[in-house]
Amino acid sequence: MEYAIIIVLLLYGIVKYDYKGRTDKNGIYYKLMYILMVLMSGLVYRVGADLVGYESSYYFNYQGELNYGISDLFTFSRSQPGWILLSSLFYKCGASFTFFKVAQAAFFQFAVFSTIKKYTTYKYTALLLFFVFLFPHVNFNVIRESFAISFFLLSITHLINRNWIKYSAYIFCAFLFHAGAVILFLFPLIFYLEFNSTKKVIIIAAIFFILSLVAASLNLTKAYMDFVYSTGNAGLIEQSEYYFLRDRYTLTSIDNIGKSLLFFVLADRKSGSAGMPRP
């Protein structure tokens, strides 16, 4: 029922503000949608397998310990230092997991809403797509990764303006919550490709496609896992088994890469026509 209400409100926003072009005075309607999504995400109770696990860990595993050091950045544990530190701080302050979840929801939704507002002309259309396709998964399952996503979204302005120090600082924060964010350090290289946006995407997509075919033909997954087992690093083994030995994470699944590249094409073209600052 709650989903239906928000979808109806978003459809109303699409018709009134995106299609008819009415002005949302002081952004009141937009702020209302933000509050509703924060409440829906933050006040959920034991929805999503990952969320249940996070709640159990919050009360029973971390015990508010703040003994992580620099070396823990490279242990490849599924509980990254940023997550441990943040949850421990909330735990030590006596906050319930519900309060922690509301804070997470507020931060993530803020990153999404501010990014959409800044770079999207049809805000409510974008919000509807986000709510239907991404909201449940990110808010009810991968909440640790949601912090990494949030920091990346907040870094986009600095990426566009080529402020590499600030961009790197945001990405480092993202890395503290999810090791996969390390690939984001390579994004600035895209700006040095001397092609238009369409050619960039074709070249990058071709590279990913070729690499996936090579990996599949040479069975690189097995070779990599043999190397991982030989290291004896328990955290690295756990992380690698989780991502490389599950069908949904195989190297041949390039559909998400294609969607991401399409987004960059559209965003780049929009930037040239809608006043988004060019690098």
Side-chain angles (χ1 to χ4, degrees), residues 19-246:
Y19 179 71
K20 294 185 178 181
R22 302 287 179 82
T23 300
D24 180 13
K25 189 175 181 180
N26 299 320
I28 294 177
Y29 197 79
Y30 197 70
K31 293 174 182 176
L32 172 64
M33 299 310 306
Y34 168 76
I35 293 173
L36 289 177
M37 289 194 192
V38 168
L39 292 177
M40 173 174 282
S41 172
L43 299 180
V44 68
Y45 180 70
R46 301 181 75 83
V47 175
D50 287 359
L51 185 59
V52 174
Y54 284 129
E55 182 175 4
S56 298
S57 298
Y58 183 80
Y59 287 116
F60 302 112
N61 290 356
Y62 301 149
Q63 300 293 322
E65 295 295 332
L66 299 178
N67 56 358
Y68 267 60
I70 297 298
S71 61
D72 294 291
L73 293 177
F74 308 99
T75 60
F76 299 94
S77 172
R78 287 182 59 192
S79 296
Q80 292 290 108
W83 173 261
I84 298 292
L85 177 62
L86 185 64
S87 57
S88 296
L89 286 173
F90 273 82
Y91 184 89
K92 272 188 170 292
C93 291
S96 65
F97 183 76
T98 299
F99 184 86
F100 176 77
K101 184 64 179 72
V102 171
Q104 173 271 329
F107 180 64
F108 175 65
Q109 261 63 234
F110 170 78
V112 171
F113 273 67
S114 61
T115 301
I116 289 176
K117 183 179 180 180
K118 184 178 294 186
Y119 299 120
T120 308
T121 302
Y122 303 108
K123 297 185 295 186
Y124 295 95
T125 303
L127 282 179
L128 179 62
L129 294 174
F130 161 71
F131 186 72
V132 171
F133 294 106
L134 295 175
F135 182 89
H137 179 62
V138 180
N139 282 279
F140 303 148
N141 280 297
V142 292
I143 62 173
R144 176 171 62 86
E145 289 87 336
S146 74
F147 285 99
I149 296 171
S150 299
F151 282 116
F152 171 65
L153 292 176
L154 296 174
S155 75
I156 290 177
T157 298
H158 304 300
L159 176 65
I160 293 171
N161 294 328
R162 299 195 181 193
N163 191 330
W164 306 134
I165 295 178
K166 291 184 178 180
Y167 173 76
S168 298
Y170 274 104
I171 300 308
F172 178 74
C173 291
F175 173 73
L176 290 178
F177 286 88
H178 198 283
V182 68
I183 195 173
L184 298 176
F185 284 109
L186 301 178
F187 272 33
L189 298 177
I190 297 175
F191 287 102
Y192 294 97
L193 295 177
E194 297 298 329
F195 303 104
N196 60 39
S197 60
T198 302
K199 289 183 178 179
K200 285 181 184 179
V201 170
I202 292 175
I203 292 173
I204 296 172
I207 292 173
F208 274 109
F209 182 72
I210 293 172
L211 288 177
S212 66
L213 291 179
V214 171
S217 62
L218 299 179
N219 199 5
L220 294 184
T221 300
K222 182 179 183 303
Y224 171 76
M225 290 306 301
D226 288 341
F227 166 75
V228 168
Y229 291 133
S230 69
T231 65
N233 187 317
L236 177 58
I237 292 173
E238 178 190 10
Q239 189 84 331
S240 299
E241 287 180 342
Y242 184 79
Y243 285 111
F244 286 92
L245 300 184
R246 300 178 67 181

Side-chain angles (χ1 to χ4, degrees), residues 201-216 246-263:
V201 170
I202 292 175
I203 292 173
I204 296 172
I207 292 173
F208 274 109
F209 182 72
I210 293 172
L211 288 177
S212 66
L213 291 179
V214 171
R246 300 178 67 181
D247 291 340
R248 58 187 263 190
Y249 293 117
T250 54
L251 292 174
T252 55
S253 300
I254 60 174
D255 54 324
N256 287 331
I257 295 174
K259 294 173 185 176
S260 300
L261 294 171
L262 177 61
F263 166 79

